Amino acid sequence: MSYFATQILDEEGNISSYALTGAGYGVLIAVMIAVLLLGCVISGSKGKKISTKQLVFSAMAMALGMVTSMIKLIDMPMGGSVTLCSMLFICLIGYMFGLRTGLMAAIAYGFLQLIVDPYIISIPQMLTDYIFAFGALGLSGVFANKKRGLIWGYLLGVLGRYFFAFLSGMIFFGSYAAYYNMSAPIYSLTYNGAYLGLEAFITVVILLLPPVSAGLLKIKNMAQQEL
């Protein structure tokens, strides 16, 4: 593993986390590209090829998601933050194009987050915190064609991310629970629910504003033309 990541030691000489090497970043970028290409192949496997417009809208949403993820309204001490509605932009992809495209784009976004801001203590933790957690935002596509589909899809995507964040907090970071006199499950539920729940609440309030919901519906209609 030293070829792809280097060990970071704490003050006592124990391994606290890993930092990616150039080769590690290269592998992650290659995997992210492979995921996007796989999404194109799968989307076109039933005679309906992915369009340039779909790729452009997805790329724009991912870019907006990355930018807003860096605008942190509240930064939590042990990781996680309340951002400027960054999860919404990833959930928009599923809302516009359905579950399959939403999941592929969200997984690719997870790799992108890992490239930009990695915190790795083990391979299982990396997969849970980045690939599975952010990938779960693509579940928004379940409600793509439903009334209030964006709100319900967004909430489902956030719940999916919360589930994996909870698992990670309980399994990999449960030792911090002792500082708060909590069990690992309660600590993880509370900690991750605090920042994810607050951001979800703020985002849903914004989505309930008629001009916002009407504007996003127009964007969806534009994105779906000629698909």
Side-chain angles (χ1 to χ4, degrees), residues 16-222:
S16 62
S17 62
Y18 294 88
L20 294 174
T21 63
Y25 280 113
V27 169
L28 284 177
I29 292 172
V31 172
M32 185 179 71
I33 293 173
V35 169
L36 291 174
L37 291 175
L38 179 61
C40 294
V41 172
I42 293 176
S43 295
S45 63
K46 295 184 179 180
K48 188 176 181 181
K49 294 183 178 180
I50 191 168
S51 70
T52 302
K53 180 180 287 189
Q54 188 170 342
L55 286 172
V56 169
F57 271 85
S58 297
M60 288 175 59
M62 290 173 64
L64 287 170
M66 282 302 305
V67 171
T68 52
S69 72
M70 298 176 187
I71 303 174
K72 300 178 179 180
L73 307 179
I74 299 175
D75 203 3
M76 301 291 280
M78 302 297 179
S81 58
V82 179
T83 67
L84 190 62
C85 304
S86 63
M87 293 185 290
L88 171 62
F89 295 102
I90 308 307
C91 291
L92 270 174
I93 301 172
Y95 171 64
M96 292 188 295
F97 305 121
L99 180 61
R100 183 169 52 193
T101 302
L103 286 173
M104 289 294 178
I107 291 170
Y109 178 75
F111 279 106
L112 190 59
Q113 282 284 348
L114 181 57
I115 292 169
V116 172
D117 188 23
Y119 183 80
I120 306 168
I121 60 174
S122 67
I123 296 298
Q125 172 268 328
M126 179 190 76
L127 293 173
T128 305
D129 275 341
Y130 291 93
I131 312 309
F132 297 148
F134 285 109
L137 295 174
L139 292 172
S140 59
V142 169
F143 296 98
N145 299 315
K146 304 295 183 181
K147 185 178 181 180
R148 297 278 189 182
L150 179 54
I151 292 178
W152 291 115
Y154 174 78
L155 290 174
L156 180 60
V158 173
L159 282 174
R161 183 182 171 189
Y162 180 37
F163 172 75
F164 288 109
F166 160 71
L167 287 182
S168 176
M170 181 178 65
I171 297 171
F172 305 110
F173 302 99
S175 59
Y176 293 109
Y179 294 104
Y180 301 94
N181 295 317
M182 295 181 180
S183 65
I186 297 300
Y187 165 75
S188 186
L189 282 171
T190 305
Y191 183 91
N192 291 293
Y195 68 90
L196 289 174
L198 180 56
E199 180 171 334
F201 175 78
I202 293 171
T203 303
V204 169
V205 169
I206 293 173
L207 289 176
L208 287 173
L209 298 174
V212 174
S213 59
L216 291 175
L217 182 58
K218 286 185 178 180
I219 292 174
K220 179 179 181 178
N221 292 334
M222 290 173 55

